[in-house]
Amino acid sequence: MPKIMMNSIENFEQHVNAAFVAKAEALKPELIRKTIRPLRTVRLAEDRGLYQAEVQEDIRQEADGTLSLKPRLRKGNSVIYDFGDHCVGYVTLKLSSAGSPPDAPAYFRLKFGEMPYEIGLDSESYDGSISSSWIQEEVLHVDVLPAEVHLPRRYAFRYMEVLVKDTSPKYDLVIEDVSCETVTSADRDRLLPLPEGTDPALVLLDKVGVKTLEDCMQDVFEDGPKRDRRLWIGDLRLQAQVNYLTFRNYDLVKRCLYLFAGLLQNEDHVGACLFTEPKLQIDDTSMYDYGLFFTSILLDYYEASKDLGTLKELAPVAYHQEELGLEQTDEDGVYLNDGRNWCFIDWNHELDKQASGQGVLIYTLKQAKKIAEILGDREKAEELAGSIEKCTEGAIRKLWDPEKRFFVSGPTKQISYASQIWMILAGAVEQETAKDILLRLLRDGNEYTMITPYIHHHFVAALIQSGLKAEALSYMKAYWGQMIADGADTYFEAYDPKNRSVSPYGSLIINSFCHAWSCGPAYFIRKYYI
Ligand code: RAM
């Protein structure tokens, strides 16, 4: 497994702006709770090397709220519940016994899976690059039966397996009831409906995107409710865009903006992600592209909410990120990509990030300029215009290959999707050139594959921006649509239709299958196709 390049800052400092943090805390949402129960039990079947769930028995909920199925299990027996859809919340089990009085504790394992793979794959053999503690699995002893067991952790799952490790020869464990109290800060009553008559394929793509966003909307916008359960800038940017056209929770975005602005890193750099527990704390991971995206999120937030006060208050933080970004460029305004901090772009470990990082810089410089214009700060706008010109001209000189008619990146002059996408999004080339680049990519492909829906999202954005709306739609239908065909109730963190086992970390068991940065179809559909 290649090592993940998430550099931590040496001599890390957190610079707190208490007033900003207080503003963020005042916007902390009340979570909406709902109790749900499983719809059926399933068994696992293998399909092309991956586990799928097959219906075993439907479960009715009786008038008194109890379940029609009360599995009776002894050593080695198991049951897999299917809650029918992805859920995020707290699980309660009501247990009793059958046979003689229980003369030994009930000892069982619980496993939760957003997808059937996580139930089927062996957790013990996981040896990937991030912690196995993310695997949603517990082993419990219950000394006294009957019992009501409230699990303290929050789980993200659709499937839940109970595997009895032991009871005693004298009694069986009976599962009387299982329920999940789901939590979200997304209010379905505020969800904007799609117009009557929308193409059913789009309705489905949108529905899964909305559900993905809903389950990631908690106390902050989380990247994934299974993992990392944290506020990450890159994810926030895309989920905020979907949120403006769906649940319209402006305060949650505002809260996240103030959290990032109120908890800065060394040099007042905006951090890549932050923790809300046990206390508010910026992580010590520093990311080049993610820091710059603070500017994008702020501008998008203003455009959606028209909250001028926030724009004004946070603009200096955004401008500063641009200055820090420019410090990592050479005399021609070209991104050095010298490893000072991590430029993410996508989970393709082979990718050279120089050109894509340059694209992100120009893209956000333009947004910073727009902020300055809205605020009437002419001097700032002119200064930014100068940087945009320098960085664009430098990029064309150093990163554009006129023969190949592609952007190249780094010492090996690597040609990748990511470089083309971000330089196009930055508006570094005319629309006709952009179109030509993208059509050639669509036709010929590229060896530096896109791994995450996050980069696929930007590919779609680049197609739309370049006037290739129809191509963007069919691309979206093919990629996200195939994810649905492969069983997605919510969109995955990583997905490659040609390699369904793809994982940035070494195993599907650790992947997140409800991941914020993948919810984009709901944004594209609502903004461009209805
Ligand atoms: C992972 C998370 C998150 C992403 C970062 C870069 O840890 O999946 O969503 O933003 O990587």
Side-chain angles (χ1 to χ4, degrees):
M1 231 3 247
K3 200 168 161 304
I4 294 183
M5 284 280 300
M6 273 201 201
N7 358 13
S8 311
I9 302 169
E10 263 176 59
N11 305 319
F12 173 66
E13 296 157 19
Q14 173 172 260
H15 300 168
V16 180
N17 179 323
F20 284 1
V21 174
K23 275 201 181 177
E25 281 298 73
L27 295 166
K28 192 170 172 166
E30 255 318 301
L31 296 183
I32 299 163
R33 293 165 191 272
K34 210 167 88 196
T35 300
I36 60 162
R37 290 188 156 74
L39 300 184
R40 59 189 77 93
T41 60
V42 294
R43 67 171 82 83
L44 296 183
E46 242 188 274
D47 167 34
R48 289 173 288 158
L50 287 180
Y51 292 101
Q52 304 297 323
E54 280 179 359
V55 179
Q56 192 168 32
E57 192 171 343
D58 286 322
I59 306 179
R60 280 187 324 278
Q61 218 173 300
E62 310 292 8
D64 61 358
T66 59
L67 299 182
S68 62
L69 182 80
K70 297 183 171 52
R72 188 174 160 160
L73 311 169
R74 52 177 46 216
K75 187 170 178 164
N77 293 165
S78 63
V79 59
I80 304 174
Y81 288 105
D82 173 5
F83 280 68
D85 204 351
H86 189 268
C87 48
V88 178
Y90 297 87
V91 169
T92 298
L93 288 155
K94 269 196 194 152
L95 305 172
S96 70
S97 63
S100 300
D103 56 338
Y107 174 38
F108 54 92
R109 187 189 76 188
L110 300 175
K111 222 173 165 189
F112 297 87
E114 297 181 304
M115 290 293 287
Y117 326 140
E118 296 150 274
I119 307 285
L121 289 167
D122 169 33
S123 356
E124 290 303 312
S125 56
Y126 170 74
D127 183 29
S129 55
I130 56 172
S131 176
S132 59
S133 62
W134 287 115
I135 298 171
Q136 305 186 98
E137 187 175 54
E138 314 292 347
V139 184
L140 297 184
H141 285 85
V142 175
D143 292 308
V144 181
L145 292 170
E148 192 163 302
V149 181
H150 298 277
L151 298 171
R153 295 194 70 212
R154 198 195 72 192
Y155 298 99
F157 69 104
R158 169 173 169 172
Y159 304 98
M160 170 185 161
E161 183 195 47
V162 185
L163 167 75
V164 172
K165 290 178 142 313
D166 219 339
T167 50
S168 94
K170 297 188 68 177
Y171 82 95
D172 295 345
L173 179 70
V174 179
I175 307 173
E176 301 279 343
D177 189 20
V178 187
S179 60
C180 176
E181 185 183 35
T182 61
V183 282
T184 176
S185 54
D187 184 354
R188 283 256 160 196
D189 291 343
R190 282 186 59 79
L191 176 62
L192 289 170
L194 289 176
E196 288 283 324
T198 305
D199 169 3
L202 297 192
V203 173
L204 182 59
L205 283 170
D206 176 81
K207 179 173 160 250
V208 178
V210 167
K211 176 71 177 149
T212 307
L213 177 64
E214 180 179 27
D215 285 359
C216 292
M217 281 172 74
Q218 301 293 334
D219 175 24
V220 290
F221 284 95
E222 291 182 9
D223 61 334
K226 169 185 166 188
R227 208 214 80 242
D228 303 327
R229 304 167 59 151
R230 266 207 306 278
L231 172 59
W232 283 86
I233 283 262
D235 304 74
L236 170 62
R237 176 169 148 261
L238 303 191
Q239 57 198 152
Q241 289 178 346
V242 177
N243 168 52
Y244 302 136
L245 302 178
T246 55
F247 297 111
R248 297 166 294 149
N249 189 339
Y250 303 111
D251 279 353
L252 195 64
V253 184
K254 183 171 176 180
R255 167 169 159 77
C256 296
L257 279 166
Y258 273 100
L259 283 175
F260 276 116
L263 300 164
L264 296 165
Q265 299 179 327
N266 303 38
E267 299 177 55
D268 288 342
H269 184 234
V270 167
C273 71
L274 60 80
F275 302 97
T276 52
E277 282 178 322
K279 59 182 172 63
L280 292 167
Q281 163 79 58
I282 193 77
D283 184 35
D284 61 3
T285 305
S286 168
M287 285 165 68
Y288 184 75
D289 47 347
Y290 274 29
L292 291 168
F293 283 135
F294 180 86
T295 304
S296 318
I297 302 167
L298 180 61
L299 177 63
D300 290 348
Y301 168 75
Y302 167 75
E303 285 181 338
S305 68
K306 298 287 173 256
D307 176 355
L308 194 63
T310 298
L311 185 73
K312 208 168 175 180
E313 190 159 49
L314 299 184
V317 178
Y319 299 152
H320 184 61
Q321 303 319 301
E322 301 307 320
E323 284 158 20
L324 292 175
L326 287 165
E327 277 176 20
Q328 296 201 38
T329 58
D330 65 10
E331 63 291 351
D332 293 317
V334 174
Y335 177 43
L336 291 161
N337 192 27
D338 58 6
R340 221 173 299 176
N341 57 1
W342 182 38
C343 185
F344 171 63
I345 307 290
D346 187 23
W347 272 131
N348 183 331
H349 301 289
E350 310 304 321
L351 204 61
D352 188 284
K353 319 282 179 71
Q354 186 190 27
S356 44
Q358 180 76 9
V360 173
L361 176 64
I362 300 170
Y363 176 86
T364 59
L365 280 168
K366 288 185 173 173
Q367 289 170 322
K369 177 172 167 269
K370 198 156 178 201
I371 292 176
E373 285 162 358
I374 296 166
L375 294 175
D377 186 342
R378 279 181 43 195
E379 208 179 305
K380 192 76 201 169
E382 271 167 33
E383 175 196 321
L384 286 159
S387 302
I388 293 164
E389 208 183 305
K390 180 174 174 189
C391 294
T392 311
E393 283 172 4
I396 296 297
R397 240 190 345 268
K398 289 189 161 165
L399 305 176
W400 174 249
D401 183 328
E403 265 164 41
K404 297 197 170 114
R405 287 180 299 127
F406 276 128
F407 285 98
V408 295
S409 185
T412 63
K413 305 214 173 297
Q414 183 189 82
I415 296 172
S416 67
Y417 284 103
S419 301
Q420 317 313 314
I421 292 170
W422 275 109
M423 289 305 293
I424 287 171
L425 288 174
V429 284
E430 298 294 326
Q431 204 186 69
E432 280 316 301
T433 310
K435 246 188 205 170
D436 170 59
I437 293 173
L438 292 168
L439 288 173
R440 279 182 293 133
L441 278 181
L442 276 174
R443 194 190 59 209
D444 304 334
N446 178 277
E447 62 184 299
Y448 296 96
T449 36
M450 299 184 274
I451 305 277
T452 60
Y454 177 71
I455 188 73
H456 283 272
H457 176 108
H458 293 112
F459 188 51
V460 171
L463 288 168
I464 294 174
Q465 182 178 306
S466 311
L468 297 169
K469 242 180 110 183
E471 287 79 355
L473 184 59
S474 35
Y475 192 83
M476 199 160 61
K477 282 183 173 169
Y479 181 73
W480 278 268
Q482 188 56 44
M483 216 187 298
I484 297 177
D486 280 342
D489 300 306
T490 47
Y491 291 127
F492 307 165
E493 168 185 27
Y495 180 68
D496 178 354
K498 295 196 194 88
N499 171 14
R500 294 191 305 152
S501 305
V502 78
S503 167
Y505 322 105
S507 166
L508 272 184
I509 200 168
I510 215 82
N511 282 16
S512 155
F513 294 96
C514 173
H515 215 72
W517 67 21
S518 314
C519 64
Y523 165 76
F524 291 125
I525 289 165
R526 286 162 186 260
K527 192 162 166 113
Y528 300 106
Y529 297 100
I530 55 172

